[in-house]
Amino acid sequence: MFHEAASSAGQVRLTTPPVFMYHSISPSAGPDPNRLRVHPDRLDRHLRLLRRLGLRGVSLSELLRAQERREAHRLVGLTFDDGYTDYLEHALPVLQRHGMTSTLYVVAGRLGGTNEWDEAPRLDLVDADQVRAVAAAGQEIGSHTMTHPHLPRAGASALLEEISGSREVLQDVLQSAVPGFCYPYGEFDDAATEAVRAAGYDHACVIGDYAPGDRFTLPRCYISPRDASVHLVARMVRHSLRLGLRGRL
């Protein structure tokens, strides 16, 4: 993933538990060239595994609050990118069945639209009412920019619109604060991370980058459509080793 060394060298590297990154949750057997679709039954097996391991999936804000209290040892983060409508139909019931929460990152300028940033297939995105329904169900809403662009080397005005503007749109929809941001494609540079801080977000996440790994570049583990229980365990172990947390999961 594209990144440049963060300019804020004094930012503290966080040693958070693993954060899983999902996208579409759907039983569809249609084309999935971007490897974004996880079957609801597979998600159910993933969450059952977490429960068997004595772990609970939570939103990224909840995970960070618990980390600050040093109470995150038995937690993992659950995030869903892009804001597909199938989250409400297929992911939310599974999460509720297992008593878990998550963060849904919404592309604020495409509410009620489709994933125009991908060539195909076209997938429906949540509208404003559905965003409110997700929040009312106890799940967290985060920003995924206005249009899902590549942020590195974007101009100042574009960063302001995509990062600050998207937060304003979602806060207007929810009438409450939106604390988290997610970089499209996991791509970031100094200007993007500074724009996220300036916009008033509490934290932001990427994908697999562990540098710098501070509050505004939190790494996540991509979950593929074919990931079985053994793959999740391997991802958790690898995450712990990368952060020097061996023996804590």
Side-chain angles (χ1 to χ4, degrees):
M1 295 300 167
F2 181 98
H3 75 275
E4 295 177 352
S7 59
S8 302
Q11 289 294 314
V12 177
R13 179 186 175 99
L14 298 185
T15 54
T16 58
V19 179
F20 296 145
M21 179 187 70
Y22 294 90
H23 288 81
S24 169
I25 304 297
S26 170
S28 171
D32 184 24
N34 301 308
R35 293 172 54 80
L36 301 180
R37 186 187 303 123
V38 170
H39 196 284
D41 291 345
R42 190 173 295 269
L43 175 63
D44 183 72
R45 289 195 293 272
H46 292 172
L47 302 192
R48 286 181 185 276
L49 169 68
L50 295 180
R51 292 178 61 183
R52 287 199 302 271
L53 295 175
L55 301 173
R56 181 168 64 92
V58 297
S59 69
L60 193 47
S61 286
E62 186 174 347
L63 182 71
L64 291 174
R65 289 194 298 268
Q67 180 81 1
E68 291 166 356
R69 301 191 302 268
R70 301 192 179 189
E71 297 175 356
H73 178 53
R74 306 310 299 174
L75 302 178
V76 298
L78 298 177
T79 64
F80 296 78
D81 287 12
D82 300 337
Y84 298 113
T85 57
D86 56 39
Y87 174 91
L88 276 162
E89 183 177 359
H90 298 296
L92 183 57
V94 178
L95 290 163
Q96 292 176 324
R97 185 159 61 246
H98 291 283
M100 300 186 187
T101 62
S102 68
T103 302
L104 179 68
Y105 289 109
V106 174
V107 181
R110 297 288 184 264
L111 295 178
T114 63
N115 55 329
E116 298 175 17
W117 55 89
D118 289 327
E119 290 187 7
R122 286 282 173 262
L123 302 176
D124 292 333
L125 302 174
V126 292
D127 60 22
D129 286 339
Q130 290 170 321
V131 168
R132 286 187 283 266
V134 170
Q139 307 296 316
E140 180 178 52
I141 296 294
S143 169
H144 204 28
T145 70
M146 288 293 289
T147 64
H148 205 284
H150 296 273
L151 291 179
R153 303 192 182 115
S157 61
L159 290 176
L160 182 65
E161 172 66 12
E162 293 288 347
I163 295 173
S164 182
S166 61
R167 186 171 192 245
E168 292 174 2
V169 167
L170 293 175
Q171 289 185 155
D172 185 59
V173 168
L174 294 169
Q175 291 298 295
S176 62
V178 172
F181 181 82
C182 177
Y183 301 91
Y185 312 104
E187 299 173 345
F188 63 96
D189 60 7
D190 290 351
T193 57
E194 290 302 326
V196 172
R197 292 188 183 95
Y201 291 98
D202 176 71
H203 56 270
C205 58
V206 295
I207 299 180
D209 282 296
Y210 281 76
D214 62 24
R215 195 175 189 88
F216 292 94
T217 56
L218 294 167
R220 296 181 297 163
C221 306
Y222 160 72
I223 304 300
S224 82
R226 295 184 179 277
D227 275 357
S229 295
V230 65
H231 298 107
L232 259 68
V233 171
R235 294 183 192 282
M236 288 189 283
V237 170
R238 183 161 58 246
H239 173 84
S240 297
L241 293 175
R242 290 287 298 272
L243 294 182
L245 300 177
R246 190 171 186 178
R248 289 180 56 182
L249 285 176

